[in-house]
Amino acid sequence: MTEHDQSATDNGTEDNNIENTKEKYIRKIRSFVKREGRMTKRQQTAIDDLWPTMGVDYQEQQIDFTELFGNANPVVLEIGFGMGKSLIEMAKNAPEKNFLGIEVHGPGVGACLADAGEAGVTNLRVMNHDAVEVLEFMIPDQSLSTFQLYFPDPWHKARHHKRRIVQPAFIENMRPKLAIGGVIHMATDWENYAEHMLEVLQAASDFKNISTEGDYAPRPDWRPLTKFESRGHRLGHGVWDLLFERIS
Ligand SMILES: C[S@@+](CC[C@H](N)C(=O)[O-])C[C@H]1O[C@@H](n2cnc3c(N)ncnc32)[C@H](O)[C@@H]1O
């Protein structure tokens, strides 16, 4: 269901039709609120110049990663890269891997492209769309070596917890996309969300916790500090990393 399905319910006649046909119109719960904001000139220029080579348009068709990157290297998918600084650093530090970043915030996508252009990274592609839909329609089964989700919106209030992107159904949809031996890596600076992530991942079938402690792992040195994480540090927050491997 999309928003336009919801808008149909704003029309009384259609409401009646819905009643008559006993169709159910359920509004989709999203993990973000669209806050478009203004693009800076630098961000807009980067999109104009680099989208043709580094941008991937949303379509309900699976991506051929070998064609997209021009090689068959392992693919790392990151959801919600923000302004993209840590994603670019990871891409720069691991030229033997391919990175696909998905972010709904347009200026963040522009900033990421601008910095990626300056850094000269060639193993990074970006998308500007709801990652939940990208996952469902565009990512082939067993095509990912790593799935990373760093500091997703915590949706602090209990009545908003349903908006958290990490839910059992989300992990269920993610699981087949990972190759066997592939890894889910999450991090958060919100303890209550960390506990929720752990609970959901422990309950998911076919995953093994890589942490020797059986819960959280220290930050691996290949994960750079992110912008939100630095902000969390300034506020005195802790950080929890979770690493789970797909074992079957
Ligand atoms: C709290 S920020 C963290 C950004 C970055 N990972 C960091 O640590 O600095 C969460 C980001 O996830 C993005 N986001 C939330 N839900 C998303 C979705 N369904 N698809 C793509 N991006 C999403 C938001 O736009 C936001 O930029």
Side-chain angles (χ1 to χ4, degrees), residues 33-70:
V33 175
K34 203 88 170 125
R35 45 171 179 114
E36 224 12 276
R38 267 183 170 271
M39 289 261 183
T40 64
K41 195 161 182 293
R42 177 175 182 265
Q43 291 163 355
Q44 189 58 56
T45 305
I47 288 184
D48 295 343
D49 293 349
L50 297 174
W51 192 262
T53 44
M54 297 186 73
V56 179
D57 291 313
Y58 176 76
Q59 50 182 323
E60 289 188 9
Q61 190 185 318
Q62 296 210 327
I63 299 173
D64 179 335
F65 282 122
T66 306
E67 192 183 312
L68 180 66
F69 289 100

Side-chain angles (χ1 to χ4, degrees), residues 85-98:
K85 284 223 183 311
S86 66
L87 176 60
I88 292 167
E89 204 175 325
M90 290 185 88
K92 236 172 33 186
N93 293 342
E96 74 287 0
K97 294 181 184 168
N98 295 322

Side-chain angles (χ1 to χ4, degrees), residues 51-214:
W51 192 262
T53 44
M54 297 186 73
V56 179
D57 291 313
Y58 176 76
Q59 50 182 323
E60 289 188 9
Q61 190 185 318
Q62 296 210 327
I63 299 173
D64 179 335
F65 282 122
T66 306
E67 192 183 312
L68 180 66
F69 289 100
N71 61 56
N73 291 345
V75 177
V76 178
L77 177 77
E78 178 163 326
I79 289 183
F81 58 73
M83 306 300 268
K85 284 223 183 311
S86 66
L87 176 60
I88 292 167
E89 204 175 325
M90 290 185 88
K92 236 172 33 186
N93 293 342
E96 74 287 0
K97 294 181 184 168
N98 295 322
F99 291 79
L100 175 65
I102 312 173
E103 173 55 62
V104 278
H105 185 50
V109 174
C112 180
L113 284 177
D115 288 345
E118 277 173 19
V121 293
T122 54
N123 56 337
L124 172 67
R125 301 290 181 274
V126 298
M127 293 192 66
N128 185 197
H129 196 81
D130 182 353
V132 172
E133 289 178 4
V134 175
L135 196 62
E136 186 174 349
F137 294 109
M138 296 186 68
I139 308 298
D141 282 355
Q142 303 223 26
S143 64
L144 305 177
S145 69
T146 312
F147 162 66
Q148 46 197 48
L149 180 70
Y150 299 149
F151 305 90
D153 298 297
W155 293 105
H156 305 113
K157 294 180 182 159
R159 71 170 190 280
H160 289 151
H161 283 181
K162 57 182 178 294
R163 281 182 168 271
R164 289 175 167 175
I165 196 164
V166 178
Q167 304 289 348
F170 176 72
I171 300 300
E172 232 352 82
N173 292 342
M174 165 55 60
R175 185 173 48 99
K177 313 298 179 184
L178 275 174
I180 309 292
V183 168
I184 289 188
H185 184 191
M186 297 181 187
T188 180
D189 64 343
W190 195 250
E191 188 168 16
N192 171 271
Y193 201 5
E195 288 164 0
H196 170 78
M197 288 172 171
L198 185 62
E199 209 174 291
V200 170
L201 287 170
Q202 278 172 339
S205 46
D206 304 331
F207 284 104
K208 184 183 90 183
N209 194 345
I210 296 177
S211 156
T212 46
E213 305 299 314

